[in-house]
Amino acid sequence: MTPAQYEDDAVRMCAELIRADTSNPGPGEREAAELVMTWLTEAGLDPLYIETAPRRGNVVLRVPGSDSSLPGLLVHGHLDVVPADPREWTVPPFSGEIADGCVWGRGAVDMKHMAAMMAAVARSGLRPRRDLVFAWLADEETGGDHGARHLVAKRPELFEGCAESISEVGGYSIEPAPGLRLYLVETAQKGLAWLRLTASGRAGHGSMLHPDSALTELAAAIGRIGSHPWPRRLTPTTRRMLAEICDACGVPFDEDDLDSVLDRLGPVARFVGASLVHVANPTRFQAGYATNVVPELAVAEVDGRFLPGLRDDFLETIDRLAGPSVRREFIDVEEAVEAPFDTPLVEAMLAALRTEDPEARVVPYCLSAGTDNRTFDRLGIRGYGFVPLRLPPELDFAAMFHGVDERVPVSALRFGARVLRDLLSTY
């Protein structure tokens, strides 16, 4: 298959996957999984379909390498997307429309462009050096119970021999200065701590004095948590990232003046800035059942994200802000992960990028959210975010994650298919 053919495939498949509404929760990933199965079997490959619940489809394919002594590489992406309100979009979010040089629709940025490139490369006649395991997964957006978590717990043999993985939210370009193009490689992810906070008090009539009101106690705690100014903390990944950016720009790196470094990143600074601090955002509050009754119980939920290596620091601060009368429990928790940057895999990423962009440089970064890489880390598989995309400098790509009018340039998809195939063929 020629480069033009698998590039065409990547663009077409991205549009077709977007047209499969895989909103989570919603109709499920089966339609998208069946598309992937069809594309792979048409190319003479033998993928495995795994449905972990009705319509929650996963596809796994192993492509044997020529050197069995090399550890395998897992390449994974997810098929589900967050819901979209069509009233807010310029084009229908599940149209997969190709216009103005872009593929438009929910998942164009996160994450169906990766799923499409994976399928295009897998069916291109790839002959890798090491075993490649491709996985198109369900349910990433709500934790992976029907996708990565299920497969890691119930079918770990599918990933036997894999030592590293590559997936989403990395590999795309930024331009911190005119003519200077850097590609972000995600080497770390913050940990996740979804928390339930509960306060108890004495219920009673709303006309009476209630100094021990559960609602008042919890509201004050949530106010303190939501407004807390978390200090910036540099982990090994974020320190290396900022130092590399300064080196590329030819300016000294001053840890005491992080704002000047972030200013060089333009719109992506907001995306990267969240990786320098813990985050705790109150998201839900429930209390009471009548206006004239002071409730005996109040419950709130908090989306917490903690920096690698600093889980205890985060939880101790939450407990101090909440106060002794508020009880904390986990709704869900995932450990932070951090992989080394100076590795043969990252060197191979850079080499593959430079076949298409000779001036490319790569820098590590810490993702403030999380992906299925955290789940595969339980199997000892070190995860990296690398979906190679050369983007126009004016496109605020990071702002479109889970946003309105998601779109990915066709030229970036073609570039990514070439770079990804080169990486998977040579590494």
Side-chain angles (χ1 to χ4, degrees):
M1 183 179 290
T2 67
Q5 288 173 317
Y6 64 77
E7 290 170 38
D8 288 344
D9 276 353
V11 175
R12 172 180 60 84
M13 291 171 178
C14 182
E16 291 186 24
L17 284 172
I18 288 170
R19 293 174 195 137
D21 183 352
T22 55
S23 300
N24 192 354
E29 296 84 358
R30 181 188 293 173
E31 182 182 354
E34 288 176 343
L35 282 173
V36 173
M37 289 289 292
T38 297
W39 296 330
L40 298 179
T41 54
E42 283 176 348
L45 300 168
D46 188 23
L48 175 66
Y49 178 76
I50 303 170
E51 192 161 284
T52 56
R55 299 194 61 82
R56 308 310 298 267
N58 300 266
V59 179
V60 180
L61 170 72
R62 183 178 286 264
V63 178
S66 60
D67 187 346
S68 60
S69 69
L70 294 174
L73 177 68
L74 169 62
V75 186
H76 63 95
H78 61 91
L79 298 172
D80 63 319
V81 297
V82 296
D85 184 348
R87 296 171 297 181
E88 299 176 348
W89 285 61
T90 303
V91 301
F94 297 103
S95 66
E97 183 174 326
I98 301 176
D100 299 325
C102 294
V103 183
W104 294 65
R106 175 61 87 215
V109 171
D110 175 35
M111 135 100 209
K112 289 183 175 177
H113 67 290
M114 173 63 168
M117 284 195 288
M118 287 166 54
V121 169
R123 55 181 258 134
S124 68
L126 184 71
R127 295 292 182 266
R129 295 177 60 231
R130 65 189 68 231
D131 280 11
L132 299 177
V133 176
F134 292 91
W136 293 262
L137 301 165
D139 198 32
E140 189 272 347
E141 297 292 359
T142 60
D145 286 340
H146 299 295
R149 284 185 181 178
H150 178 98
L151 297 180
V152 164
K154 304 294 186 182
R155 299 295 305 273
E157 75 281 359
L158 295 173
F159 314 104
E160 184 70 32
C162 291
E164 298 165 308
S165 71
I166 59 174
S167 187
E168 61 176 320
V169 202
Y172 62 88
S173 64
I174 61 171
E175 294 196 16
L180 175 61
R181 195 160 37 254
L182 307 178
Y183 291 83
L184 298 173
V185 177
E186 180 250 292
T187 61
Q189 296 184 9
K190 293 168 77 172
L192 176 145
W194 286 352
L195 305 173
R196 181 176 293 112
L197 304 180
T198 305
S200 302
R202 180 178 297 178
H205 200 285
S207 66
M208 307 294 287
L209 296 175
H210 289 274
D212 61 346
S213 165
L215 192 155
T216 302
E217 181 75 28
L218 187 59
I222 287 298
R224 291 190 294 269
I225 291 170
S227 61
H228 180 65
W230 296 94
R232 286 173 174 165
R233 309 279 289 273
L234 293 184
T235 65
T237 293
T238 52
R239 180 176 285 106
R240 176 73 177 269
M241 172 192 69
L242 297 175
E244 292 277 356
I245 291 171
C246 287
D247 179 69
C249 294
V251 298
F253 171 46
D254 184 355
E255 289 193 22
D256 297 322
D257 186 18
L258 296 180
D259 286 331
S260 66
V261 182
L262 294 175
D263 286 345
R264 293 182 176 275
L265 298 180
V268 83
R270 181 172 178 268
F271 185 70
V272 171
S275 69
L276 305 180
V277 295
H278 298 311
V279 170
N281 283 312
T283 53
R284 302 182 73 183
F285 196 107
Q286 296 174 310
Y289 52 87
T291 303
N292 62 343
V293 177
V294 174
E296 64 181 19
L297 200 68
V299 179
E301 295 180 4
V302 174
D303 184 343
R305 312 289 175 129
F306 55 88
L307 295 170
L310 294 170
R311 169 177 161 160
D312 290 346
D313 173 78
F314 172 76
L315 293 176
E316 288 166 5
T317 304
I318 290 290
D319 290 342
R320 175 174 56 80
L321 294 171
S325 300
V326 175
R327 184 173 74 254
R328 168 177 61 81
E329 59 184 316
F330 288 115
I331 301 170
D332 196 3
V333 62
E334 288 276 1
E335 292 300 328
V337 293
E338 196 159 20
F341 184 65
D342 296 310
T343 66
L345 175 56
V346 175
E347 291 174 4
M349 291 174 182
L350 178 58
L353 284 167
R354 284 184 171 169
T355 61
E356 300 294 331
D357 184 357
E359 303 302 318
R361 294 183 60 154
V362 293
V363 297
Y365 87 102
C366 176
L367 178 63
S368 60
T371 72
D372 284 330
N373 273 341
R374 279 196 309 225
T375 300
F376 288 111
D377 187 73
R378 300 174 189 177
L379 297 178
I381 300 174
R382 297 186 309 195
Y384 294 83
F386 185 73
V387 186
L389 297 172
R390 179 171 172 173
L391 299 170
E394 68 276 6
L395 182 66
D396 190 356
F397 194 69
M400 290 191 290
F401 281 93
H402 293 185
V404 173
D405 283 349
E406 280 189 61
R407 59 198 181 277
V408 60
V410 168
S411 61
L413 277 171
R414 292 182 174 277
F415 173 92
R418 294 194 301 271
V419 173
L420 187 62
R421 191 181 192 280
D422 185 71
L423 171 64
L424 299 182
S425 299
T426 59
Y427 176 59

